[in-house]
Amino acid sequence: MTRFGVLGPLRVSDGRTPGPAKHRTLLAALLLAAPEPVTAGRLMAAVWDDRPPVSAESVLRVYVSALRKLVTGIRTVPGGGYLLDVAPDDVDCHRFERLVAEARRERAAGRAEAAAGGLRAALGLWRGQALDGVESSVLRRAYGVPLEELRLTALEERVELDLGLGRGAEVIGELRALVGAHPLRERAWVHLMDALHQAGRRSEALAAYQDARRTLVGELGLEPGAELAEAHRRVLLDARPPVPVASGDGGGWGRSAGVVDELPPDISDFCGRGDALAWIGRTVAEAASTAPVHLVLHGPPGVGKSALAVHAAAALNLPDGRLHASLGARSAQAVLEDLLRSLGCPDGAVPAAPDERVRLYRSLTARRRLLVVLDDAADEAQVRPLLPTGPGSVTLVTSRSSLPGLEAARAYELGLLTEDEAVALLAGVAGADRVRAEPEAARRIVRLCGRLPLALRIAGSRLARKPGWTLDHLAGRLGDERRRLDELSAGDLAVRGSLALGYRGLPDPERRLLRELGAFSAPDFAPWALDAELEPLAEAGLLRSRGLDEAGQERYGWHDLTRLYAAERLAEEDGGPGGVLACRAEAILERVRRAHAALLPAEPGTGRTRIHPEQGGDPALETGLLRGEARWLSAERRFLVAAVGDFHRAGLYEAAWRLAFYLTPLFELNAHHDDWHATTATGLDAARAARHRTGEALLLRGLADLHRIEGRLEAAEAALRAALPLAEGLELARVTLRLGLVQARRAGTRPALGPQAEQALGRALRVFEEAGDRRGRAEALRGLGTLRREAGPLEASLAAYRELGDRRGAAEVSLDLARLHLAAGRYAEARRCLERRLEVNRRLGDRLPEAVALLVRAELENAEGRHGPAAADARAARETFVQYGDRANAARALLALSRAALADGTDDAIGGFVRAMGEFDGLGEGDQDARTGAAEAARLAEEARRRR
C-alpha cells in the first residue's frame, strides 16, 4: 500500500517521489484534495503560482502523463480536471485532521488521557514544515498555512491536556521551543508559565512572563492580554492553574466575555431564497470542525447578495462572535485594521506593516469560532488576508465575481427571484393589500424590474411613499425604456448607482466593451459578435455565462437593466450605437452570408452558381459543415433577429435588409414564422429607405415564400407581383419561378391557373438554362415535375441538386417523388424515396423536415394497411410540429393519426377528427390548405359516425 506525506518534504512511501519541481507541485495539489477532483484551472494556478502560460493546459496534460508513470490512481474527471484515487488515511495531512477531530471528540466526552494520546499521535505525523520543498505559494496559502495553524492549535490543546494530567515537567522543553518559534503566541507563553509553575519552578515562570511582556511590547506595542496576565497572577499568588474543561459543543475551551456581534439588522421583509439558505446551512453543517469554511455568494449588481448574507448570518450562532466588513474599493489592510479593533486590539496598537497585521489577525482568530461577513469583495487578493483561521469558523463573502482563485472556498451563484418571490417582495415593501388589488399590474412591474430585488425594493418604496399612485400608474412609467433607470431611484437606493459601481471598477478596455455591447438589444450573445473576450465582464457580475449553446459557443446574457445602463453609457460617452454597429456590420453580415450559402448553395440569381461543396470532398466533413452552420444560425437566431432592428434604428439600412434576407433559410428550416415576418417587415422598410430596388425585390420574394408555406396563396401572389417591376435579370426569373409555384398551388381550386403556372415555370427554366444558373434550373424542374405530376422533371431536378452538393434540396425533391409515387400506388418506390429523405434529415439534424417526411410515411403506411406504424409515425411527427410551433402540420399529423385510428376501429377516431377540424379552423380563412384540411377532417368524422 502506497502512502504519501506532505507534512514535511513531499514523500511517497515506495520511494518514487517525482524529481521535477512542477511535478512535485502537481502531486501535492492532488494529494491535498484527495480523493476529491481538482479542476484543471486550480491545478494550473498551483503549478504556475497563479501565472500560467498560454500553453499551460497542454503542458499540464504532459505533467499528468509523466506523473502517472510514478503514481497509480490518477484519473481524469468530466469537465477537464483530475483526481487521485487514494484513501484519505493514506495521505498524512488527511490522517492528521482525522486524528485531531477524534481527539477533540474524546476530550468533549471527558476522556482526557485518550484525547492527549490521540493528539500526540496526530502530531507525530509531522516531519517538518508542511509542503517543504513544494514551490507553490498558492498551495502554501490554501493548505500550508491552515495546516500549520492546526498543528500549533493541536499542540497547544495537547499541552493543555498534559497539564491537566499533571505532566507539566514533561512538556517544558517542548514549550520553550514553541515560544522560541512563535514568540507572539500568548497562549504558548501561558502554557510555559503553567508548566514551570506546576514543576515548582516559580522564578522561571515569572521570568518567562517578563520575556513574553518584553516581546509583545517590543514587537506589537501591546501589553500582555488577559489570559497571560491571569497566568502571571496565579504564579505570584502560587495558585494552581485551572483544569481545562471541554466546552459541550467541541468548539474550544470556553467562551470569552463580551462576544462581539457587528451584524447589520436583518431585513424584516426578506423573502424567498430558500435554495440558497438551504445550501449555506447544509454546507456549514457538513463542514469538518478542523478547518474554517469559506462561502462566496456571487451574482450581478442588485440581485440581493448582501441581504441574503445578513439574513443567513443572523441564523448562524457561532460562539466567539460575528464580524461584518464592507469591502468595496477599500484595501485589505484598511479592513484588517477595523477587524483587529473589533477583536479587542486597542487603538494605536494595530501594527503598521501589512504582514504583521495579517499575522496578528490570524493569531487572534486561530482559537475562535467566528462568523465573518465580507460584503462586496472586489477580488481574491482583497479577501485572502481577511479569512479567519479558527477551525469551524465561517466566512460569508459577497461579490460580483465568483472569486475562482480563492482557495478552499465554495461558491453559490445567486440568480433572479422567481416571479412569485418577486411579487411577494413587492408586496412586503409596497403593501400586500395594494398588490392583491392589482395583481396583473404587480406582475407587470415585476417583469419590468426583471425580477431584480434592488429594482423591486425601489419600486415598492416609491409606491409606499406615493399612496395615491396605483400599481398600474407605476408600471406605465416603468414601461418607457428611456426613463426606466430614472424611475428606479428612491432615496439613496438606485439601480443606476449599483450598476455604476461595477462599471467604474472595470479597466478602460472592459468599460468600452460593455458600452459597445449596449449597441445591441439582444438578450444574449457570443464573443464573436464583438470579436472580444467577454469573461472579464462576467467576472465583474455585469454579464452572466449561460454555458455552451447548441453550436458549442460560450454564451453570455445580461439583465435588461444592465443593457439599458450600457446603452445609456454608450450614448453619453460615445454618441450612441451607430459607430459600433457600423464597425461590426460587415463582420456580422459576412458570417451570416457564409451560413446562408451553406444552407442554400448557389442560390439562383446571385451569380454564385459554382458547385458547392467542391467535387471529391469528404462526405462526413461536408455533412458536419452543413449541420454545424444550421446549428450556428439556430444558436444565434435571437441575436441576429434583434440585430436587424438594431441596424435599422441606427440608419444602417443596407445592413438591415441584407441581414433580414440572409436569415430566411434558417426561418424556413425551423418554422420560425414570427421571426420571418418581423425581420422581413423591418428589412422591407430598410430597403425602401435605402431606395434599393433589388433588396426590396429579394425580401418581397422571401415574403411570398413565407405566405406560400403558410398556405396564404393570394397574399403570396400579391407579394410577387409587387416584386416583378423591381426585379431585373436573373432575379426577375427567380420571381417568375415563385409566381409559377404559387399559381400551381392555386390551380387545385382554380384550374385555369394551371397553364399560367406551366408558362411561368417554363419561362424561368429557359432563362436559368441560358444563364447557366444550375440552382435556378434545379428549382424550376422541381416546380414543373410537381405541377405535371411527372417523375422525369423531378428526377432531373434531383440530379441537379446532387450536382450542386445541396443535400437539403435533394432531400426535398425526394419527398416530392415519394408523394408522386404514393399517389400513383407505387408504394415500394415511395418508401425508397422516403428513406433516402429521412437519412439526409437525420444526418443533418433537421428535425422539422424529418417530421414532414414521417407524416408522408404515415400516409404511405395507412395506404398499405399498416395502421400501427402509421399511428407511431404520425404521433412522432406531431410531437415535433407542436414543439416547433408548426400549427398547420400539427393539424395534418393529427388528421393522419385519426385516420389510422379509424382504420383500426378505435373509439377515439371521431374525437381526433373533431380536434383536427378545430386546429385547421384556427389557422384562419386565408389558408387554402387549412380549408382543405378542415373539409377532409369533417368528411372523415362523418364517416366515423356512420361506422359506429
Side-chain angles (χ1 to χ4, degrees):
M1 177 188 300
T2 304
R3 288 205 162 188
F4 303 89
V6 295
L7 302 180
L10 187 66
R11 187 173 74 178
V12 182
S13 64
D14 57 12
R16 294 180 296 170
T17 304
K22 285 186 166 48
H23 292 195
R24 292 199 303 274
T25 302
L26 175 59
L27 177 58
L30 292 170
L31 288 169
L32 289 163
E36 297 299 317
V38 189
T39 65
R42 284 175 57 194
L43 288 173
M44 289 188 288
V47 171
W48 283 280
D49 245 350
D50 272 335
R51 294 185 295 276
V54 175
S55 59
E57 195 163 357
S58 58
V59 175
L60 180 67
R61 288 195 290 270
V62 174
Y63 289 172
V64 170
S65 179
L67 200 57
R68 280 172 168 154
K69 296 176 182 177
L70 298 176
V71 178
T72 59
I74 299 177
R75 300 207 325 258
T76 304
V77 297
Y82 301 91
L83 65 80
L84 181 55
D85 191 4
V86 62
D89 256 20
D90 289 338
V91 185
D92 59 3
C93 65
H94 302 314
R95 191 158 70 256
F96 168 69
E97 290 178 334
R98 178 183 62 78
L99 289 171
V100 169
E102 289 177 355
R104 285 174 169 172
R105 287 194 290 271
E106 294 285 353
R107 180 195 65 198
R111 294 187 285 271
E113 185 72 55
L119 289 170
R120 191 172 289 107
L123 292 164
L125 297 172
W126 285 77
R127 298 170 287 105
Q129 185 179 13
L131 300 173
D132 188 13
V134 175
E135 299 174 4
S136 174
S137 61
V138 170
L139 292 182
R140 281 196 294 277
R141 285 195 307 268
Y143 297 99
V145 171
L147 283 169
E148 291 285 356
E149 192 63 45
L150 182 58
R151 175 192 190 184
L152 291 175
T153 303
L155 176 57
E156 290 174 347
E157 291 178 11
R158 199 221 72 217
V159 166
E160 201 162 0
L161 285 165
D162 283 340
L163 288 171
L165 294 167
R167 298 170 180 164
E170 300 174 20
V171 297
I172 291 173
E174 194 173 20
L175 286 168
R176 287 197 187 278
L178 181 60
V179 298
H182 303 278
L184 301 179
R185 205 169 178 94
E186 288 192 43
R187 182 168 289 273
W189 286 106
V190 170
H191 289 158
L192 175 59
M193 291 175 64
D194 285 342
L196 290 166
H197 186 200
Q198 192 179 92
R201 297 154 65 175
R202 289 180 65 201
S203 61
E204 291 181 57
L206 293 171
Y209 174 77
Q210 295 303 324
D211 290 342
R213 183 178 181 278
R214 276 194 300 272
T215 300
L216 292 170
V217 172
E219 293 289 330
L220 303 178
L222 292 174
E223 287 292 334
E227 194 175 10
L228 189 54
E230 174 62 22
H232 184 225
R233 188 190 66 80
R234 287 197 302 270
V235 177
L236 289 172
L237 298 175
D238 198 19
R240 291 181 59 81
V243 176
V245 178
S247 63
D249 61 3
W253 295 97
R255 304 180 185 182
S256 60
V259 172
V260 63
D261 191 346
E262 297 180 340
L263 279 186
D266 196 4
I267 299 173
S268 60
D269 52 19
F270 185 92
C271 65
R273 302 303 191 195
D275 290 345
L277 290 168
W279 176 80
I280 294 170
R282 185 171 61 252
T283 306
V284 171
E286 292 174 354
S289 61
T290 56
V293 180
H294 309 312
L295 307 180
V296 178
L297 304 173
H298 66 101
V303 82
K305 304 179 291 293
S306 301
L308 173 63
V310 170
H311 187 72
L316 295 175
N317 294 314
L318 273 74
D320 298 319
R322 300 186 289 198
L323 303 178
H324 181 277
S326 295
L327 275 57
R330 300 177 69 202
S331 70
Q333 295 309 310
V335 178
L336 263 179
E337 183 174 358
D338 292 345
L339 293 175
L340 287 170
R341 286 199 177 102
S342 298
L343 290 170
C345 189
D347 288 344
V350 175
D355 288 349
E356 291 182 8
R357 285 188 185 182
V358 174
R359 283 199 296 271
L360 179 58
Y361 179 69
R362 288 174 176 166
S363 177
L364 292 174
T365 60
R367 295 282 295 174
R368 305 184 185 188
R369 286 184 64 208
L370 290 165
L371 170 64
V372 181
V373 178
L374 302 175
D375 191 30
D376 195 21
D379 54 34
E380 295 90 340
Q382 186 186 35
V383 171
R384 283 192 189 101
L386 311 178
L387 299 175
T389 57
S393 290
V394 176
T395 311
L396 283 177
V397 185
T398 72
S399 177
R400 300 181 184 196
S401 164
S402 62
L403 306 180
L406 193 62
E407 300 83 356
R410 306 182 193 184
Y412 186 96
E413 184 174 14
L414 200 60
L416 301 172
L417 297 172
T418 67
E419 186 166 296
D420 288 342
E421 288 174 339
V423 171
L425 175 57
L426 184 66
V429 180
D433 291 342
R434 296 175 73 179
V435 169
R436 279 195 296 268
E438 296 181 80
E440 289 305 316
R443 293 193 179 275
R444 187 177 168 209
I445 291 173
V446 163
R447 288 191 291 272
L448 290 168
C449 290
R451 294 182 282 123
L452 188 72
L454 175 60
L456 287 161
R457 188 165 293 282
I458 292 171
S461 296
R462 296 201 68 189
L463 288 168
R465 286 166 174 75
K466 297 280 188 179
W469 280 16
T470 64
L471 272 67
D472 186 64
H473 175 74
L474 178 59
R477 296 173 69 102
L478 292 172
D480 184 352
E481 281 196 352
R482 296 166 298 178
R483 296 174 47 198
R484 192 174 303 164
L485 290 176
D486 294 327
E487 295 291 338
L488 291 173
S489 175
D492 61 353
L493 288 178
V495 171
R496 182 184 283 111
S498 176
L499 293 166
L501 285 174
Y503 176 72
R504 289 197 294 267
L506 294 171
D508 285 343
E510 276 74 39
R511 282 205 296 269
R512 176 165 183 79
L513 180 58
L514 184 72
R515 295 197 303 272
E516 289 176 346
L517 283 172
F520 297 95
S521 61
D524 55 50
F525 25 73
W528 74 272
L530 281 176
D531 191 24
E533 177 56 57
L534 301 180
E535 189 60 28
L537 294 180
E539 283 295 317
L542 293 166
L543 298 183
R544 185 175 182 180
S545 173
R546 294 186 174 171
L548 301 182
D549 60 26
E550 59 191 288
Q553 307 170 117
E554 182 82 16
R555 200 150 203 90
Y556 296 87
W558 55 1
H559 195 277
D560 199 46
L561 296 176
T562 308
R563 177 184 65 80
L564 294 178
Y565 179 77
E568 183 179 274
R569 300 314 317 146
L570 180 66
E572 293 187 12
E573 298 183 39
D574 301 292
V580 175
L581 293 170
C583 181
R584 293 303 302 160
E586 183 177 352
I588 291 172
L589 287 172
E590 178 56 24
R591 180 64 186 89
V592 181
R593 189 201 64 76
R594 292 204 311 269
H596 175 103
L599 267 64
L600 288 178
E603 186 179 9
T606 63
R608 292 185 173 92
T609 56
R610 64 181 176 82
I611 297 175
H612 174 82
E614 301 296 341
Q615 294 272 355
D618 184 342
L621 291 177
E622 293 168 10
T623 299
L625 170 68
L626 294 173
R627 186 169 187 159
E629 291 297 277
R631 283 182 172 176
W632 182 85
L633 274 173
S634 182
E636 295 295 340
R637 177 174 62 88
R638 292 202 300 176
F639 172 77
L640 295 171
V641 167
V644 173
D646 296 334
F647 288 144
H648 184 273
R649 284 187 293 274
L652 300 171
Y653 298 129
E654 180 151 354
W657 77 253
R658 285 191 182 278
L659 182 56
F661 169 67
Y662 289 153
L663 289 173
T664 53
L666 164 68
F667 299 149
E668 182 172 0
L669 183 64
N670 291 323
H672 297 304
H673 293 175
D674 290 343
D675 288 341
W676 196 347
H677 275 293
T679 54
T680 298
T682 304
L684 279 170
D685 284 346
R688 288 162 182 160
R691 292 182 168 82
H692 202 296
R693 293 168 59 85
T694 301
E696 187 177 353
L698 288 169
L699 287 160
L700 283 169
R701 174 169 58 82
L703 180 61
D705 286 343
L706 173 57
H707 287 323
R708 178 163 52 88
I709 290 168
E710 292 179 329
R712 302 175 66 235
L713 302 180
E714 292 180 3
E717 184 168 345
L720 291 167
R721 293 203 180 279
L724 281 172
L726 302 170
E728 298 176 353
L730 288 174
E731 179 56 27
L732 179 59
R734 199 170 1 173
V735 173
T736 302
L737 167 65
R738 296 301 200 282
L739 189 58
L741 294 175
V742 171
Q743 290 171 336
R745 286 272 300 277
R746 296 187 70 194
T749 56
R750 295 180 59 187
L753 292 176
Q756 294 181 35
E758 175 99 21
Q759 185 179 15
L761 292 170
R763 187 163 61 249
L765 176 61
R766 287 191 295 274
V767 173
F768 291 137
E769 288 180 336
E770 289 170 5
D773 190 328
R774 301 184 184 191
R775 184 177 184 85
R777 176 175 176 272
E779 291 196 348
L781 285 168
R782 181 187 172 197
L784 283 169
T786 303
L787 174 65
R788 297 171 180 170
R789 295 182 174 83
E790 292 180 1
L794 288 174
E795 294 288 356
S797 174
L798 181 63
Y801 277 117
R802 286 173 173 167
E803 184 183 4
L804 284 169
D806 186 351
R807 300 187 179 199
R808 289 188 171 94
E812 291 300 319
V813 179
S814 294
L815 189 66
D816 292 337
L817 282 166
R819 287 181 170 129
L820 184 67
H821 292 314
L822 174 59
R826 296 188 292 269
Y827 298 154
E829 291 89 338
R831 186 172 293 279
R832 277 194 295 272
C833 293
L834 281 169
E835 296 308 320
R836 190 164 61 218
R837 153 79 177 227
L838 284 166
E839 180 185 6
V840 173
N841 294 152
R842 287 164 179 165
R843 282 188 179 181
L844 297 180
D846 295 346
R847 293 193 57 214
L848 200 58
E850 177 189 351
V852 174
L854 287 175
L855 180 53
V856 176
R857 193 169 73 177
E859 294 170 3
L860 169 63
E861 285 159 342
N862 268 328
E864 291 177 327
R866 302 173 68 248
H867 305 301
D873 278 346
R875 190 175 295 108
R878 180 171 168 81
E879 288 175 2
T880 301
F881 293 139
V882 169
Q883 180 182 346
Y884 279 77
D886 188 342
R887 295 165 56 212
N889 274 320
R892 294 185 187 102
L894 179 56
L895 189 62
L897 187 61
S898 303
R899 197 191 299 272
L902 175 63
D904 271 352
T906 56
D907 292 337
D908 54 354
I910 294 177
F913 290 131
V914 171
R915 288 197 306 275
M917 288 167 57
E919 291 186 14
F920 280 122
D921 288 341
L923 296 173
E925 289 294 325
D927 190 330
Q928 177 179 308
D929 291 341
R931 292 197 300 270
T932 303
E936 177 67 5
R939 184 188 67 79
L940 290 169
E942 185 59 34
E943 181 181 336
R945 287 190 186 95
R946 288 197 304 269
R947 291 188 184 184
R948 291 180 67 175

